[in-house]
Amino acid sequence: TAVYVGSSTASGDIVFPETVTRVKAYAFVRNKSITGLTFKGHIDAIEWGAFFQCPYITDLVFEKGVKEISGVDSEQGKIFAEKYDYEDGGDFNLNGAFFRSCSGSLWDEETFESLGFATLENLVLKGIEKIGDCAFQDCNIRNLKIDKTVRYIGEAAFTNSGNDYIFTSVSMLGADENDFYAIKDDCIVEKGSGPQYLGKNGDRLLVYAQNSSAVQFDVPEGVTYISPFAFAELKNLETVTLPEGITELYGGTFSAVLGSSLKSVLLPSTLVSLRSDTSVFGEVQLMGITGGVFTGCENLSEVEFRGTPSLEYIGANTFYVTALSEFEIPASVTYIGFSAFLNEYLVSLSVEDGNEVYVADEGVLYTKDMTTLVCYPSRKAATSYTVPEGVAAIEGYSCEVTAFLETLVIGSNVKKVGQSAFYNAHALKEITFKGNVEMLGQSAFFGAPNLNKVIFEGEIAPFLGGSHNGTYSVFASSYDSMTWEAILLCEFVVPQNAIASYYSEFYLYAPAYAEAIDLSEISDTAYTLKKDGETVAVFTDSLVKTEPTCEGSGYFQGWYLSDGSADGDWGERVEFPAYFEQDTIILYARFGEQRVQDGKAWGRDFELDANGEALDVTFKNGRAVYFRFTAPRSGSLNLLYDGLTSDEFYLQTDDVSGVEYVVLSDYDNPQSWCYETEEGKTYFVSIKIYLFDGINIDCAVSFEIV
């Protein structure tokens, strides 16, 4: 007997002689030249990762059988990735023997036309006893036959969330079932390994052949667990019935990226959770979004229960991009994740009597106390809608893709509109905020091409989340794909006595937002600027957008409403932008021995202590704070942020010359950012902290040279 270790030059169709009984781990890893494998003798094992990501294998033949196709060994995968310096080492944690093989794109070499994907038309596993976790994950297998000798089939052994979805049939050689598995009706069921139901161990459905010709399927009685992605990317199946005893369905179970034929599903009354994660892989990601149980089932229009529902948990994106037009939230439901019902067909939501957490009002879903708007149906027919006065928050992703809503009035008690709340609200033309909304999340109203007017009636400007870039801008209609600059088309109408506040807040967010404020109704003011009793400037303007500069003896302290040069009473300092309703106004320049340090601009920047003493600073989400420091010696600078953890923020820093650095922080507290410095040189740096939640955060800032 012999063990095949591997060959980096192997290509074409490889024939292994009878003496070969085992292929070692990673023997042919990522070999793109192999097209076929034939094993003449009996194989004891194809070890984990042996043919990892060999995409063009289209023939796999075990003439005398194979005992084991090994599955995941994540620790060895990590060691292998580090040893050979693979940047995408995470893939090796799912190192089944044929993981992501047999699935590469095929092209006509002369015409460059696509010929589809590499496919194993027929895979026969004669004499097989063990098929490990992820052994054939993301492989294109059309017809699969597994010998009745099989004793173990691992999680995701045949799951395909890859390039093609042609898994047509699966059956058992010599029988329909053995003591461990039933393999019939194009699905694999593992006996006795599922959660208990009625005092008896249930069964686990591992996978269903997604391209099976059946249009209706009843999951066998006794099944109490369905593996993630078991029914993903269905091509013909339209109706599925699930038996009593199933309590959880995991993220991706019926999901689709390229489309699903599923139209109707009958759920068991025992079902408690529709999750957006899995028991094996954690949170499910589909095309960059969190994957729910039915995400992408574009034809699914009917969901019913076999009896009185026990459902408590509906995870994020559960029915995202389905065809549901109506849905009644069972009385038992206590949690609904973001975008759970987001699709282009939903007309109305209702809530069963007795639910203690949720309530529906005119088809719109709210928390029971009517303080939070949870979901506004995208195809609700109303062209105008007023958010009730008692509502304090509009959840993120709650009102996306509204087809008919043109006029929106947001009640005076609303304090927060979450991220992407009204994303792609195509019909929206006008928004009125009746009160002092505190925060508008990033992308809250992005993608509304017809939005032309936003009216703020509150006297305090809201905080705008995200940044004026790409799809992150709060009110932008679109963005320039070349420059990533967001395009703002609407105008803002704000209270006359709060114009300066709005202009300042919006300018800090993006100058384009400040310039979009309607100033047509405010009158001009004649300004006189004085220093030491003498007039230094006279001008007329409605709004003074930036602070006028002034030179004198000592440090400039700002402009004040009173001349305190004689008695020290300067009155109130004027903040810019500045607006006064008077016809005339006199401002007085003040100078002093100490430089003003409030971090709001260059010249007013905080000076960090050369000995490393920390300075307590309040950062406003996404707003720059300005600093300077003089390096006591040459070396690597560490800017330290005591009080922040890596899951709270990331940093953006700019030096005075405008060079931008972006740092994704993943260190333990305190946080640091490194920069090479020269002794005696003064450095100017602005720092923005983007919080994942909230508006303000306090931390102690210092620096050290190492």
Side-chain angles (χ1 to χ4, degrees):
T1 62
V3 175
Y4 205 92
V5 176
S7 170
S8 60
T9 60
S11 63
D13 294 335
I14 302 175
V15 178
F16 295 85
E18 286 195 28
T19 53
V20 173
T21 60
R22 178 182 293 266
V23 180
K24 293 292 288 183
Y26 296 124
F28 298 91
V29 63
R30 288 181 169 173
N31 187 311
K32 296 183 178 181
S33 300
I34 299 174
T35 56
L37 302 170
T38 299
F39 296 89
K40 291 292 187 178
H42 182 271
I43 302 300
D44 290 332
I46 306 293
E47 294 186 4
W48 37 264
F51 296 94
F52 177 93
Q53 291 185 357
C54 295
Y56 298 111
I57 296 174
T58 56
D59 288 297
L60 177 56
V61 178
F62 299 96
E63 290 190 356
K64 294 187 178 180
V66 56
K67 185 177 181 180
E68 177 181 345
I69 306 291
S70 295
V72 168
D73 189 325
S74 58
E75 286 303 313
Q76 290 299 321
K78 181 179 179 181
I79 293 171
F80 180 84
E82 292 175 350
K83 179 179 179 180
Y84 293 99
D85 196 26
Y86 280 103
E87 293 182 359
D88 56 345
D91 272 355
F92 290 93
N93 293 331
L94 300 176
N95 54 0
F98 290 89
F99 176 76
R100 288 186 180 166
S101 295
C102 322
S103 59
S105 300
L106 301 176
W107 303 87
D108 186 300
E109 294 183 0
E110 294 183 0
T111 65
F112 298 103
E113 292 182 1
S114 174
L115 299 177
F117 299 94
T119 299
L120 288 176
E121 290 293 330
N122 297 287
L123 177 60
V124 179
L125 299 177
K126 185 168 58 175
I128 192 72
E129 294 185 11
K130 180 180 180 180
I131 305 170
D133 295 351
C134 306
F136 290 94
Q137 183 177 350
D138 291 349
C139 292
N140 291 331
I141 302 171
R142 191 178 301 277
N143 300 297
L144 172 64
K145 294 184 178 181
I146 300 173
D147 207 337
K148 62 183 179 181
T149 54
V150 66
R151 301 171 63 88
Y152 177 83
I153 300 175
E155 194 73 62
F158 297 101
T159 297
N160 185 0
S161 57
N163 296 323
D164 210 355
Y165 306 97
I166 47 82
F167 191 13
T168 301
S169 70
V170 57
S171 59
M172 181 177 280
L173 289 172
D176 284 338
E177 58 184 288
N178 61 16
D179 291 340
F180 305 96
Y181 293 93
I183 304 179
K184 54 186 176 181
D185 298 327
D186 294 326
C187 77
I188 302 175
V189 174
E190 185 175 67
K191 297 180 178 180
S193 62
Q196 283 197 347
Y197 177 58
L198 299 179
K200 179 183 177 182
N201 287 340
D203 300 331
R204 294 160 57 100
L205 190 151
L206 301 184
V207 69
Y208 177 87
Q210 61 212 179
N211 199 37
S212 172
S213 60
V215 296
Q216 195 275 334
F217 181 72
D218 294 339
V219 174
E221 293 294 329
V223 169
T224 58
Y225 175 92
I226 297 178
S227 291
F229 303 104
F231 290 91
E233 306 291 342
L234 295 171
K235 297 307 173 189
N236 298 300
L237 190 60
E238 297 180 358
T239 303
V240 176
T241 299
L242 277 61
E244 298 288 359
I246 294 174
T247 59
E248 291 187 313
L249 291 176
Y250 290 97
T253 299
F254 289 89
S255 64
V257 173
L258 299 181
S260 171
S261 57
L262 186 64
K263 295 181 179 180
S264 173
V265 62
L266 183 61
L267 300 173
S269 65
T270 54
L271 184 66
V272 174
S273 297
L274 292 167
R275 304 179 65 92
S276 299
D277 59 2
T278 75
S279 56
V280 180
F281 308 113
E283 183 179 80
V284 176
Q285 290 289 313
L286 298 172
M287 301 296 286
I289 67 167
T290 301
V293 175
F294 298 101
T295 298
C297 293
E298 59 188 356
N299 294 298
L300 179 62
S301 60
E302 184 177 340
V303 177
E304 296 183 353
F305 290 86
R306 299 182 71 161
T308 302
S310 303
L311 186 64
E312 298 176 3
Y313 185 98
I314 302 176
N317 292 321
T318 293
F319 297 105
Y320 180 83
V321 192
T322 63
L324 288 179
S325 60
E326 296 180 343
F327 190 84
E328 183 178 58
I329 312 297
S332 52
V333 171
T334 59
Y335 175 84
I336 298 174
F338 65 83
S339 298
F341 298 98
L342 176 60
N343 67 51
E344 296 183 356
Y345 299 93
L346 191 66
V347 174
S348 177
L349 289 169
S350 59
V351 178
E352 186 180 13
D353 290 343
N355 190 295
E356 298 181 355
V357 179
Y358 297 101
V359 66
D361 179 60
E362 298 181 3
V364 181
L365 186 64
Y366 290 91
T367 53
K368 187 75 170 183
D369 57 7
M370 289 292 291
T371 61
T372 303
L373 193 161
V374 178
C375 181
Y376 183 99
S378 60
R379 293 195 70 84
K380 181 177 169 64
T383 58
S384 64
Y385 187 73
T386 298
V387 177
E389 281 298 312
V391 175
I394 299 175
E395 284 191 356
Y397 308 96
S398 58
C399 313
E400 292 183 89
V401 203
T402 51
F404 304 112
L405 182 62
E406 297 179 1
T407 304
L408 174 66
V409 178
I410 295 179
S412 60
N413 289 316
V414 171
K415 301 303 180 186
K416 180 179 179 180
V417 179
Q419 176 177 332
S420 300
F422 290 86
Y423 192 89
N424 282 345
H426 301 298
L428 192 59
K429 296 179 180 179
E430 183 174 301
I431 307 167
T432 299
F433 293 91
K434 301 296 288 184
N436 288 314
V437 61
E438 295 176 358
M439 180 178 183
L440 302 178
Q442 75 172 33
S443 313
F445 297 91
F446 179 86
N450 295 300
L451 182 62
N452 56 61
K453 181 180 289 188
V454 181
I455 302 170
F456 293 94
E457 296 185 0
E459 296 183 356
I460 301 175
F463 173 82
L464 304 179
S467 62
H468 189 52
N469 291 306
T471 61
Y472 304 123
S473 182
V474 175
F475 288 105
S477 61
S478 59
Y479 68 94
D480 187 315
S481 60
M482 298 296 292
T483 65
W484 199 242
E485 182 179 356
I487 299 171
L488 184 69
L489 299 179
C490 63
E491 72 168 357
F492 302 117
V493 178
V494 305
Q496 187 167 326
N497 62 348
I499 281 178
S501 170
Y502 276 86
Y503 193 95
S504 176
E505 185 65 39
F506 284 18
Y507 188 88
L508 287 172
Y509 182 72
Y513 273 61
E515 296 303 320
I517 295 175
D518 180 11
L519 302 179
S520 62
E521 298 299 321
I522 65 174
S523 57
D524 286 344
T525 296
Y527 289 88
T528 300
L529 305 184
K530 290 191 173 186
K531 182 190 73 170
D532 298 332
E534 296 183 0
T535 298
V536 294
V538 176
F539 60 90
T540 299
D541 205 342
S542 57
L543 177 72
V544 184
K545 299 175 181 178
T546 58
E547 184 173 49
T549 59
C550 189
E551 295 184 359
S553 177
Y555 290 100
F556 179 58
Q557 306 288 303
W559 296 99
Y560 287 77
L561 294 176
S562 299
D563 184 0
S565 57
D567 58 8
D569 182 9
W570 291 91
E572 183 180 351
R573 178 179 174 175
V574 178
E575 294 291 340
F576 292 86
Y579 168 72
F580 297 92
E581 296 185 17
Q582 297 97 313
D583 293 333
T584 62
I585 198 79
I586 301 175
L587 302 181
Y588 300 91
R590 180 180 180 182
F591 292 84
E593 296 181 358
Q594 300 294 324
R595 185 173 64 85
V596 173
Q597 297 186 41
D598 57 16
K600 293 183 177 181
W602 300 123
R604 295 163 63 173
D605 43 85
F606 291 119
E607 185 163 2
L608 296 176
D609 183 74
N611 296 317
E613 184 176 343
L615 178 68
D616 293 329
V617 178
T618 297
F619 285 91
K620 194 170 186 178
N621 192 353
R623 304 296 188 259
V625 178
Y626 299 86
F627 299 87
R628 73 172 65 181
F629 51 87
T630 301
R633 58 184 178 276
S634 299
S636 295
L637 165 75
N638 282 344
L639 284 176
L640 305 175
Y641 307 90
D642 192 8
L644 297 178
T645 57
S646 60
D647 59 352
E648 289 181 306
F649 80 108
Y650 72 89
L651 299 175
Q652 176 179 306
T653 62
D654 301 270
D655 69 13
V656 73
S657 63
V659 179
E660 181 179 286
Y661 306 86
V662 176
V663 178
L664 294 177
S665 298
D666 56 2
Y667 319 105
D668 292 329
N669 194 26
Q671 303 295 323
S672 65
W673 173 72
C674 295
Y675 188 78
E676 293 301 315
T677 59
E678 298 178 15
E679 181 179 354
K681 184 176 180 180
T682 298
Y683 292 86
F684 298 82
V685 60
S686 67
I687 300 174
K688 295 179 182 179
I689 291 183
Y690 291 91
L691 303 173
F692 298 141
D693 188 29
I695 297 177
N696 298 322
I697 191 166
D698 297 325
C699 71
V701 180
S702 60
F703 80 96
E704 63 180 3
I705 305 295
V706 294

